[in-house]
Every structure is written in structure tokens, then in C-alpha cells.
Amino acid sequence: MKKHGVKERLACRVLGQHRSTQRKAPKGRSDDAALTADIIELATQYGRYGYRRITALLREAGWLVNMKPVERIWRQEGLKVPAKQPKRGRLWLNDGSCVRLRPEHPNHVWSYDFVEDRTHNGRKFRMLNIVDEFTRECLCIRVDRKLRSSDVIDVLSDLFILRGVPGHIRSDNGPEFIAKAVREWITAVGTRTAFIEPGSPWENGYCESFNSKLRDELLNGEIFYSLAEARIVIESWRRHYNTKRPHSSLGYRPPAPAVVPWPAAPPQPASPATSNVADKPTMH
């Protein structure tokens, strides 16, 4: 067969195409419409996730799909992670050195740091974030208007009882962390402190990475009308981060998957769009 006076075989050889491309019309997936709907639903629900994490969530929901068709639909629908997202309010609650010391196993090195944000009325509140550097699991986020050395000891003592005493605790060298009471208490319970060098936040890279995800995926997109609301929403996000959120450095698996898979994998491809409805907060 000739195309415009040129033999098909010669034209395909010059262009580096297989001859079948000139004879077979491309066929999409029979379930493209359902897949597209679920991708859009997940992209809407998790606005800071790219197509790779959306693919992982689709697989957890029962879809047999790889990254290529998800990327194709993602671009076809014009989806993208926005550079900046507007904050939203939840009115339903308004009443209310990782270079020198690398983690080698769970409970080997914990790290912790402070993050600051504000409620709707402009008042500051602080979060104490504690992360297991090996598993990437967020062990706790303590939220309060003020956090002192006694609060650090209180949170750590609860975690030591629940999880055991870690080998090392890495932290900033700010006044909250180098308080004599904290140092003496940590040493007394049989673990070691690992303070990073002054002005070197990258040495606390695991916790800094977690802090950036917390701010990017939650704090930058939420308006907190009260401290109680902030505690509930932040704790809900922490649980999602640990049990559901695909983590790229863990092969797009969550740090601490739930015992019961979410959502429960059905025998046939399911719709995350419908299975996630129960997870969404009721808006009033």
C-alpha cells in the first residue's frame, strides 16, 4: 500500500514506526469513563497529590492500572497540583543530622520539631511533631497555644510507654529542646540525644520533610476557627498520613498501613469516588 506515492513499508522505516500503526485504530480502556471519574474525584479530594500518588490510591481501591494511563488521563483532563491553594474553612467544627546518624531500624532514631500556625482570629498555636525516621511514621502531633519543656517530656513519656524507648532522639538546638530538664530526663530513661548543628535544619531532614508536607497538604489549605478544631483536623490528617497516604520513598506505600485495607479491596474494580464518600466531613 502506498501513501501519497510512498510505500508504506519505506515510510514506516524512515519514521521508525511499526506498520501496524497505519492499520489499527488505537483502542482505549473500556472503563476509561469510570477511571477518569475516580481520578478526578481523588484529585479533588487530595489536591496536593500528583498522578503517581493518585495511581497508588487507585490500586489500593482495587483498580488494575499502571501509571501510564493515569498520567494520560491526568494530562487529558488538565489536572495539576496548584502552585498555591486557597484556604478553606470547616464550619462544621466552628463550635468547638540525618547525615551523620542514619536510622537503621524502627525505633532507632526519632526526631521532633515545632511548627507554628494561627487560628482564624490571628492567635498563634504550636505543634510538636515526632517522627520515626526509619518508618517515616508520625508518632504524635501535640497541638497547643504554648509548648514548654514539660510538654515535650509529657508527650515523650507517653510514647515511650506505648512504643518503647528509642536509641536516639534527634532535635533542633533551640531553647525548647536544649532545656536542662528535657536533656536530663531523656538521659535518665536510657536514650541519647542528637542535636543538629546550629543553622543546619537539613540535618533534621526527616522531620523537616514531614513538616513541609504537613504545611503544604493541610495547614496552607485550612482555616481553623478554634484550637479544638485544629486538634481534630490535624489528628485526622496524621492518621491519614500514617495509614493511607502513599509515600514515594516507601514505594508509594503508607508508613503504617491500617490492618484493614482502605478501602476494602473488592473482587471487581471499585470506585474510590464512592468509597471515599464516608471519609469526607459533613459540611453545614
Side-chain angles (χ1 to χ4, degrees), residues 147-164:
L147 291 169
R148 303 178 178 86
S149 59
S150 58
D151 298 305
V152 177
I153 293 174
D154 181 50
V155 172
L156 288 176
S157 61
D158 288 344
L159 289 175
F160 286 4
I161 293 171
L162 293 173
R163 305 228 175 203

Side-chain angles (χ1 to χ4, degrees), residues 151-185:
D151 298 305
V152 177
I153 293 174
D154 181 50
V155 172
L156 288 176
S157 61
D158 288 344
L159 289 175
F160 286 4
I161 293 171
L162 293 173
R163 305 228 175 203
V165 179
H168 298 79
I169 296 182
R170 195 194 319 271
S171 66
D172 196 352
N173 54 6
E176 300 90 351
F177 298 120
I178 62 175
K180 184 178 180 182
V182 176
R183 291 203 310 269
E184 291 178 350
W185 182 84

Side-chain angles (χ1 to χ4, degrees), residues 146-247:
K146 293 182 180 180
L147 291 169
R148 303 178 178 86
S149 59
S150 58
D151 298 305
V152 177
I153 293 174
D154 181 50
V155 172
L156 288 176
S157 61
D158 288 344
L159 289 175
F160 286 4
I161 293 171
L162 293 173
R163 305 228 175 203
V165 179
H168 298 79
I169 296 182
R170 195 194 319 271
S171 66
D172 196 352
N173 54 6
E176 300 90 351
F177 298 120
I178 62 175
K180 184 178 180 182
V182 176
R183 291 203 310 269
E184 291 178 350
W185 182 84
I186 289 176
T187 303
V189 296
T191 188
R192 298 179 179 179
T193 55
F195 294 116
I196 67 172
E197 290 295 324
S200 305
W202 57 86
E203 292 192 2
N204 198 10
Y206 294 97
C207 205
E208 290 290 341
S209 175
F210 172 80
N211 293 346
S212 68
K213 292 179 177 67
L214 171 63
R215 188 164 296 282
D216 181 54
E217 296 175 9
L218 180 69
L219 302 181
N220 286 348
E222 293 285 349
I223 298 174
F224 301 115
Y225 292 96
S226 68
L227 188 63
E229 178 188 15
R231 285 172 175 159
I232 294 172
V233 174
I234 291 170
E235 176 61 17
S236 176
W237 182 87
R238 185 188 73 88
R239 292 177 183 273
H240 168 80
Y241 176 89
N242 286 336
T243 61
K244 301 176 185 178
R245 182 189 184 277
H247 201 297

Side-chain angles (χ1 to χ4, degrees), residues 253-273:
R253 300 291 297 172
V259 176
V260 179
W262 175 92
Q268 299 295 328
S271 169

